[in-house]
Amino acid sequence: MGESLAHCGSSWDDEDQQENAFFEKSVKVETHQAVVKVLEHGNTQMLVLEANPTKGIPKCSEPDDVVIKVDCSTITLQDCMIRRGKWNDMQSLPFIPGSDIVGTITELGSPDLESRFRVGNLVAAVVPSGGNAKYAKVKARELLLVPTGVDPVTALCISSTYVPAKQSLEAARSSGTPLTGANVLVIGANGPTALATIDLALLEGANVYATADKRHHDHLLSLGVKQCFPVNPLKWLPRLECKMDVVLDSVCLDGYESSAKALGPRGKLICTGMSATFTQGRIEGPLGIGDLRLLTASYQKARVKYRMHNACYYDKVESFKDQKAIYAQYFKYLCHIQAKGHFKPVVAARASLTMVSSLQKAIERGDTPYGVCVATPWLTREDL
């Protein structure tokens, strides 16, 4: 099962009733444009499906704008946490979920863009928000051309999970050497990007270890993981301390302390997130003042960047923005080896726009199958 949200502070029974209302109100809409929006922070009741048959399809307004007809986009734990107002990279309201998109270009903002793109090109976009819609307006700099022959959902899975996994593993290498025979520990191994990381590490012949809730252990072992451990560091650190060549931690359960202690003398820690900081409840300030989760996240990120000599922090959006050419090269490479059968991306679920609310709720509960959750805006609930 996929990532989950703990201590969310709302009534799931109430949300079940609210979800039914969302679907009943949305399912009858027939239009060429529809978009899922968060108008206020809170539970899934805050998700609204907006559709208008006469207006609302975005148009290019700047020379670097590109409009795409969305084939598919991601539905993630990050979307859920931003909707709740509890994430380190918050987006302004109204917020449209979906930070990875694959679709077809329908309009270019300027003829100058025709040197790179054409109307009709299939492209992938890495964006802060906006994917859970039938059409999306993005900037040309946010786009990658999808190689010929790669289907949209496969391209989405590769861009959203396998490229970050590949880049994280590349950051862990010593002088570019392969990971063959290396001991690699993946913390929080049941999430989509963690599963892609396991896939790629095993392809290189690494010895992969994993931490996850016990209910995930059988699945992880079936993938080729050498040994699974509980999430609690007290259960695995005594056995793995100073033995790992690479640790990849997207959880930050204890400020990355246990992950750092698991490293051998020349080991490398790659910090890829801090989900526990935001999903494990409030972090009270002195005298009960405020909630210090955002401040804690900023501190941990700065600590990794500037004080931990054997660690680095990887952020997909920052990597795409700062080193797009490298990101694009890995995307092409991974599309190529996927076509050769080296790995097979797994889709956890496909959802029409009317079902985004249900799937977000399932992600929060940890009730989704393993893999990437995909919004398919041009399919109805009946098609699925």
Side-chain angles (χ1 to χ4, degrees):
M1 309 293 280
E3 296 171 292
S4 63
L5 167 66
H7 306 302
C8 57
S10 64
S11 167
W12 295 119
D13 291 336
D14 289 346
E15 289 194 38
D16 285 336
Q17 296 175 3
Q18 294 155 1
E19 169 64 24
N20 290 336
F22 175 89
F23 177 71
E24 290 298 329
K25 186 170 63 174
S26 308
V27 71
K28 297 178 182 179
V29 174
E30 294 292 340
T31 180
H32 291 291
Q33 167 67 335
V35 58
V36 176
K37 286 186 177 181
V38 178
L39 302 179
E40 298 179 53
H41 292 136
N43 58 31
T44 52
Q45 185 184 17
M46 299 299 112
L47 287 167
V48 176
L49 180 61
E50 291 188 356
N52 191 312
T54 60
K55 63 179 182 179
I57 296 176
K59 298 293 182 181
C60 294
S61 55
E62 301 289 340
D64 59 343
D65 285 344
V66 179
V67 175
I68 60 177
K69 181 180 179 181
V70 178
D71 286 296
C72 52
S73 59
T74 51
I75 305 172
T76 64
L77 178 63
Q78 174 180 312
D79 293 335
C80 300
M81 297 308 298
I82 293 175
R83 188 236 309 145
R84 291 184 177 275
K86 303 172 183 177
W87 198 244
N88 60 306
D89 186 19
M90 286 301 299
Q91 303 298 316
S92 59
L93 296 177
F95 164 66
I96 302 171
S99 57
D100 288 273
I101 310 171
V102 173
T104 303
I105 293 176
T106 61
E107 184 185 359
L108 296 171
S110 166
D112 293 341
L113 297 178
E114 292 179 0
S115 61
R116 290 179 285 162
F117 303 109
R118 291 284 191 275
V119 170
N121 283 158
L122 186 66
V123 291
V126 178
V127 294
S129 63
N132 293 173
K134 286 189 172 182
Y135 289 88
K137 182 170 69 173
V138 302
K139 297 298 184 181
R141 63 179 177 271
E142 297 170 329
L143 295 178
L144 301 171
L145 284 169
V146 175
T148 302
V150 180
D151 73 86
V153 172
T154 297
L156 182 73
C157 293
I158 291 174
S159 179
S160 64
T161 60
Y162 279 86
V163 175
K166 178 68 172 173
Q167 290 195 301
S168 296
L169 291 172
E170 291 296 324
R173 296 185 194 283
S174 175
S175 303
T177 56
L179 295 174
T180 308
N183 293 325
V184 176
L185 174 62
V186 181
I187 305 294
N190 55 291
T193 302
L195 291 171
T197 302
I198 291 170
D199 232 357
L200 296 180
L202 290 172
L203 276 177
E204 292 194 42
N207 302 312
V208 179
Y209 301 82
T211 74
D213 288 340
K214 185 174 177 57
R215 62 191 173 117
H216 303 301
H217 288 188
D218 286 346
H219 177 73
L220 294 170
L221 292 170
S222 75
L223 299 177
V225 170
K226 194 176 185 70
Q227 193 169 359
C228 293
F229 297 91
V231 174
N232 187 347
L234 297 177
K235 301 293 185 180
W236 57 262
L237 186 57
R239 299 182 63 180
L240 300 182
E241 189 168 5
C242 299
K243 294 181 180 179
M244 295 294 109
D245 299 299
V246 178
V247 179
L248 301 110
D249 189 342
S250 63
V251 180
C252 191
L253 196 60
D254 59 0
Y256 305 117
E257 290 291 340
S258 56
S259 295
K261 290 178 180 178
L263 294 173
R266 300 181 65 183
K268 191 70 175 285
L269 168 62
I270 311 299
C271 304
T272 59
M274 50 186 73
S275 58
T277 302
F278 293 93
T279 62
Q280 299 298 311
R282 288 171 59 88
I283 299 176
E284 296 290 347
L287 304 176
I289 299 174
D291 183 347
L292 299 185
R293 277 180 284 192
L294 187 58
L295 182 62
T296 299
S298 298
Y299 168 76
Q300 297 296 356
K301 188 173 180 179
R303 179 169 167 268
V304 170
K305 285 186 172 182
Y306 304 114
R307 300 193 61 183
M308 298 176 71
H309 72 279
N310 58 347
C312 71
Y313 195 92
Y314 173 80
D315 181 275
K316 179 184 72 174
V317 175
E318 288 182 4
S319 174
F320 185 88
K321 180 180 178 181
D322 297 339
Q323 297 179 312
K324 180 184 174 182
I326 296 175
Y327 195 102
Q329 191 62 33
Y330 282 132
F331 177 65
K332 292 178 184 177
Y333 167 73
L334 289 165
C335 286
H336 174 73
I337 67 170
Q338 188 279 327
K340 298 290 185 182
H342 289 264
F343 65 88
K344 184 178 180 180
V346 176
V347 175
R350 301 181 191 225
S352 63
L353 294 182
T354 61
M355 297 168 63
V356 169
S357 180
S358 293
L359 200 49
Q360 279 202 13
K361 189 191 306 180
I363 290 171
E364 291 180 323
R365 287 174 161 169
D367 288 342
T368 58
Y370 300 104
V372 179
C373 293
V374 178
T376 48
W378 294 93
L379 297 180
T380 66
R381 187 176 183 128
E382 288 71 22
D383 293 329
L384 298 166

